[in-house]
Amino acid sequence: MKTDNHSSFIFSATDIEPEIFLDTAGSRLAAGGRAIAYFAVPEGAAYRLVLAVAFDRESRVEVYSAPLGGPFRSLTPSFPQLHLFEREIYEQTGYTPEGHPWLKPVRFTGANDKPGVADFFSVHGSEIHEVAVGPVHAGVIEPGHFRFQCHGEKVFHLEIMLGYQHRGVEKRFIGGPGPRDLRYAETLAGDTSIGHGWAYCGAIEALCGVNVPARAQALRGIMLELERLANHTGDLGALSGDVAYLPTASFCGRLRGDFLNMSALVCGSRFGRNMLRPGGVNFDLDYALVKELKLRLETVYRDVENAVSLLWNTASVIDRFDGTGTVSKQAAEGLGLVGPAARASGVGLDTRRNFPYGPYENFTLAVSGSGDVYSRAYVRWLEIQKSADLVAAWLDSLPEGPVSAECGDLKPDCGAISLIEGWRGQICHFALTGADGKLRYYKAADPSFHNWQGLAMALRNGEISDFPLCNKSFNLSYCGHDL
Amino acid sequence: MIKALIARIKQGYRTMEFPSPEIKLPPRFLGLPEIKAAGLEKAAAACPYAAISAQAGTLDLGRCVFCGACAKASPAVKFTKEYKLCAGSREDLVLGRDGARRARPVPEDLRRILGRSFKLRQVSAGGCGACEADCNVLGTLAFDLGRFGVQFVASPRHADAVLITGPVTKNMALALRKTYDAVPAPKLVIACGACAISGGPYSGHEECPGIPADIPVDLYIPGCPPHPLTILDGILRLIGRVE
Ligand code: SF4
């Protein structure tokens, strides 16, 4: 069944015969589809398997579902992009995806699970050694466990185990919408509060069929791009710090804060909390605020340009970025990577262009690269320029009118998919309502869910000392993965 | 090299003075709330986190995620722009009680040890990463935490205190315990953010049992996330560097 970004569909229309479900899934993925959601929703005494496939070039989403009552055939051997989805289904239902090459817990939610305790790949032989890091890392950073199989400095394989941040958010949406929902969405990944907040609002709005006023859309766009500006700027600084080039590291650390303070000027919170609401936004801009924001954008952007251009002109930086941690286009596509990391490997996916929503009419931005740290850094810089242009343009021409519309009741027995291009990449929220018009199921996928495996691939045959640099070039979210 | 020097001149000197009466937070910032008894029921009913008790006439800063729903529902709650929110005990976080919200510096003998060199081991235990981000910001040149002799360190063996963020998920309980045990005594504990104090947005989740009772907390820093200034103020108060 076909549907669009941010529109609702009758859920029963997605039903297909269980016998053909997996074959259909396989053929859609083989036809160039990218899985954006694959999960099992409780139904009666068993489950229903739901798959959403995006066809990026045609701006089209297809959804299929079928009853699931036991073990099922794993599609991962043919379509590696499903590997984590299937592990998640296994963890949540207990049904084995038969033939999955590496079936193990995702978030250690079982009663007897011990976080991080599972099988790991291991390499044997003389002079082979294993390096285990985490969950508590050296810096002020979220927890995760990394295990490297090394020969001297060379990394054969990196395996990443997460789940330490699991706080059980998804299931709390069920039975809603409730008063805690927006903050739940905003804290799925705290540095992506606007991205996930918008994805949540988009899903609810589609389910109530409300039209968000144009002014609210533009204000959301401003906040989403400010979020992107802050994070990309901060990451370029951090990358610079990881190669011991301190000028850009210091400058960007401050400049990231200046973007966050612009968000705080709009809604009081540096992370954009409380800005959004289903139906629109909570804060408007008056003439004075628009003027102040424009002024700040101009000065901060000028300083960012100054700080970042140092990177491309410094041989020691380029030497460390260039050719480090390469992820091929083939690997990026095979694993279903998203966001700047995918674009840096030459995958042309940007939700703002492929699945336009809100204020992103006619969005274009051509970015590409060879998949190394340099590309992932340079793509960020290109995106910074674009975001600054977008914010300036919206500030110049804010549509008149209200900033929110009232949301009515949710349509019963419907589904909605909400895709947003967060700064890390595509965010997907999938909401289902029951017969009572309450949320029956809610599934959120942060870009990190897809991209952690990309980081593992970046380390293959690289040097272990390049890990911090590669890691920072992705800068993935632990909490966004763990939910 | 010359380009870096020119950039340095262009970027200028950016470290803020702290503490300073000049510090201004944005007009829409939600800082320390003020409460009135009249109309507090409505505010209490609007709070999704049970932070307000109309009966007792209190607002618990430790449960509050600063969502502003109460102030929208009733004029009984008003938010000021005061960013100094920390307290030395859980009870002191409850507004509306007598003598509430006292930040207590550590005793004189500890202050002599820690006052000029205070090393923190941060443990992220659940949460959304925003508290971590606002701790990291203190290391930037804008705040320059190092000038106060305060530093985040990698090894718990080098630390004087553990700064905990997040609601302490089941899956992080063991790692937190091991880190805490690895810090040599005397050691302090800081609970940073609504999550660490009360579970915050995740309060009531069985996945998040919270900081165990036998890890005593010396400083509570409310917020979701706390503003970097709130964290800085709290840490410096704890070691007696601001009064
Ligand atoms: S601002 Fe705090 S007290 Fe008020 S409703 Fe939100 S969480 Fe409750």
Side-chain angles (χ1 to χ4, degrees):
Chain A
M1 196 225 48
K2 295 185 182 74
T3 182
D4 293 314
N5 189 15
H6 294 135
S7 59
S8 69
F9 52 87
I10 311 271
F11 186 51
S12 58
T14 65
D15 181 64
I16 58 173
E17 294 293 319
E19 297 78 46
I20 61 162
F21 180 85
L22 291 172
D23 290 337
T24 308
S27 75
R28 300 322 286 144
L29 294 171
R34 186 172 53 83
I36 54 173
Y38 189 27
F39 57 91
V41 41
E43 194 170 85
Y47 291 89
R48 172 171 289 272
L49 206 49
V50 183
L51 172 72
V53 190
F55 291 85
D56 301 330
R57 251 169 259 132
E58 294 104 74
S59 308
R60 183 157 51 91
V61 177
E62 296 178 3
V63 188
Y64 301 97
S65 79
L68 177 73
F72 59 107
R73 175 160 50 91
S74 166
L75 296 174
T76 299
S78 312
F79 305 101
Q81 52 165 319
L82 296 179
H83 75 108
L84 203 53
F85 285 118
E86 287 186 347
R87 277 171 55 186
E88 192 183 43
I89 294 169
Y90 169 61
E91 185 167 68
Q92 293 177 355
T93 65
Y95 298 154
T96 309
E98 287 170 337
H100 191 290
W102 200 225
L103 198 56
K104 50 194 271 184
V106 181
R107 304 188 178 98
F108 299 93
T109 52
N112 299 320
D113 284 349
K114 292 203 175 71
V117 180
D119 287 340
F120 284 85
F121 284 112
S122 68
V123 178
H124 297 277
S126 62
E127 294 173 39
I128 294 290
H129 65 110
E130 191 175 272
V131 180
V133 187
V136 178
H137 300 279
V140 180
I141 183 172
E142 296 181 76
H145 182 73
F146 299 87
R147 217 175 274 194
F148 301 86
Q149 308 296 329
C150 302
H151 180 236
E153 281 285 291
K154 188 171 163 184
V155 179
F156 286 141
H157 184 64
L158 159 63
E159 197 166 351
I160 301 169
M161 280 307 310
L162 304 175
Y164 298 91
Q165 299 281 74
H166 179 63
R167 51 216 186 280
V169 181
E170 270 180 341
K171 65 179 184 211
R172 264 75 187 194
F173 287 105
I174 295 170
R180 285 187 175 197
D181 286 7
L182 188 69
R183 186 54 62 103
Y184 276 140
E186 288 170 338
T187 59
L188 282 169
D191 52 20
T192 315
S193 290
I194 294 291
H196 276 289
W198 193 346
Y200 168 77
C201 291
I204 297 298
E205 286 151 5
L207 287 169
C208 358
V210 70
N211 279 325
V212 179
R215 190 175 177 88
Q217 298 282 27
L219 290 169
R220 285 179 176 183
I222 290 172
M223 293 302 278
L224 187 69
E225 297 309 324
L226 283 176
E227 189 166 271
R228 195 180 325 274
L229 283 163
N231 283 296
H232 281 2
T233 304
D235 281 356
L236 287 175
L239 279 167
S240 178
D242 273 340
V243 298
Y245 186 66
L246 296 186
T248 304
S250 318
F251 304 150
C252 284
R254 187 265 299 183
L255 293 162
R256 168 182 171 275
D258 286 349
F259 285 124
L260 295 178
N261 289 339
M262 287 171 69
S263 295
L265 197 62
V266 179
C267 70
S269 155
R270 288 155 43 89
F271 292 87
R273 306 239 161 124
N274 308 338
M275 177 67 190
L276 305 172
R277 58 183 284 177
V281 295
N282 283 318
F283 296 93
D284 201 356
L285 296 179
D286 58 13
Y287 176 73
L289 267 180
V290 168
K291 210 172 127 197
E292 170 75 14
L293 283 169
K294 277 201 326 213
L295 189 75
R296 286 205 201 180
L297 180 66
E298 221 170 274
T299 37
V300 178
Y301 179 76
R302 202 182 320 121
D303 284 354
V304 171
E305 191 172 30
N306 171 270
V308 171
S309 64
L310 291 175
L311 289 178
W312 324 126
N313 286 308
T314 303
S316 67
V317 172
I318 300 301
D319 183 53
R320 289 283 279 111
F321 283 11
D322 202 23
T324 304
T326 302
V327 179
S328 68
K329 183 176 180 188
Q330 193 195 3
E333 277 176 343
L335 289 167
L337 301 195
V338 294
R343 295 192 277 278
S345 289
V347 179
L349 163 67
D350 189 318
T351 318
R352 294 172 292 176
R353 185 185 63 232
N354 299 89
F355 300 92
Y357 54 94
Y360 297 100
E361 290 299 329
N362 311 317
F363 175 91
T364 53
L365 177 60
V367 295
S368 188
S370 54
D372 54 1
V373 170
Y374 179 86
S375 304
R376 283 188 290 278
Y378 201 75
V379 162
R380 307 285 199 106
W381 168 232
L382 294 174
E383 296 191 16
I384 285 174
Q385 299 172 46
K386 181 73 183 180
S387 297
D389 283 350
L390 284 172
V391 174
W394 285 324
L395 285 172
D396 271 334
S397 61
L398 269 183
E400 294 297 327
V403 295
S404 74
E406 267 325 301
C407 286
D409 291 339
L410 272 51
K411 294 179 224 163
D413 291 320
C414 280
I417 290 173
S418 177
L419 301 173
I420 297 287
E421 187 71 18
W423 65 273
R424 279 194 188 91
Q426 186 170 77
I427 296 166
C428 174
H429 285 208
F430 193 134
L432 284 180
T433 54
D436 56 357
K438 301 273 179 228
L439 286 174
R440 168 186 171 194
Y441 204 72
Y442 202 89
K443 199 84 205 72
D446 187 79
S448 310
F449 184 81
H450 308 282
N451 283 8
W452 275 110
Q453 192 61 29
L455 171 61
M457 294 307 292
L459 259 285
R460 284 250 165 117
N461 296 319
E463 297 197 3
I464 191 165
S465 50
D466 282 335
F467 175 67
L469 184 61
C470 290
N471 189 22
K472 193 51 81 180
S473 72
F474 282 85
N475 192 11
L476 300 174
S477 171
Y478 300 73
C479 53
H481 171 280
D482 292 348
L483 303 174
Chain B
M1 184 68 205
I2 192 77
K3 282 194 180 122
L5 289 173
I6 295 169
R8 173 66 186 81
I9 292 164
K10 278 195 184 152
Q11 300 273 341
Y13 180 79
R14 298 292 185 149
T15 306
M16 71 170 76
E17 209 180 303
F18 189 89
S20 154
E22 303 290 296
I23 290 173
K24 281 215 173 49
L25 284 136
R28 290 169 177 176
F29 174 74
L30 300 185
L32 183 68
E34 285 172 356
I35 51 172
K36 285 193 302 222
L40 203 58
E41 302 82 22
K42 263 204 181 146
C47 177
Y49 306 95
I52 301 175
S53 161
Q55 217 176 8
T58 55
L59 189 157
D60 184 355
L61 284 181
R63 297 186 72 90
C64 180
V65 305
F66 296 82
C67 69
C70 51
K72 237 187 225 170
S74 159
V77 183
K78 273 211 180 69
F79 285 88
T80 69
K81 285 200 280 300
E82 175 61 82
Y83 66 82
K84 299 173 196 132
L85 302 177
C86 71
S89 79
R90 188 65 187 83
E91 298 77 55
D92 287 354
L93 284 177
V94 183
L95 295 182
R97 286 208 193 134
D98 290 343
R101 231 176 50 78
R102 271 165 307 170
R104 301 178 200 166
V106 293
E108 191 53 42
D109 55 335
L110 256 186
R111 217 187 300 182
R112 215 169 298 134
I113 303 173
L114 304 176
R116 289 169 164 276
S117 166
F118 189 44
K119 308 290 165 193
L120 303 163
R121 173 61 250 198
Q122 193 270 341
V123 178
S124 171
C128 74
C131 287
E132 291 80 354
D134 271 347
C135 286
N136 270 324
V137 150
L138 296 179
T140 64
L141 53 83
F143 294 89
D144 191 13
L145 188 63
R147 69 186 142 149
F148 304 103
V150 184
Q151 206 185 8
F152 288 101
V153 292
S155 170
R157 298 271 190 241
H158 302 159
D160 304 304
V162 182
L163 184 146
I164 303 168
T165 56
V168 189
T169 55
K170 272 186 193 159
N171 286 353
M172 270 307 285
L174 179 65
L176 171 63
R177 168 74 59 191
K178 285 187 173 176
T179 309
Y180 177 75
D181 287 348
V183 175
K187 53 185 157 191
L188 301 176
V189 175
I190 302 171
C192 179
C195 279
I197 302 173
S198 69
Y202 318 115
S203 54
H205 289 202
E206 79 263 13
E207 292 88 346
C208 311
I211 301 176
D214 61 338
I215 296 185
V217 177
D218 301 278
L219 177 73
Y220 296 87
I221 306 175
C224 183
H227 194 278
L229 288 168
T230 308
I231 305 176
L232 182 58
D233 169 74
I235 293 173
L236 296 185
R237 251 166 232 284
L238 179 66
I239 54 173
R241 294 288 296 265
V242 249
E243 302 280 317

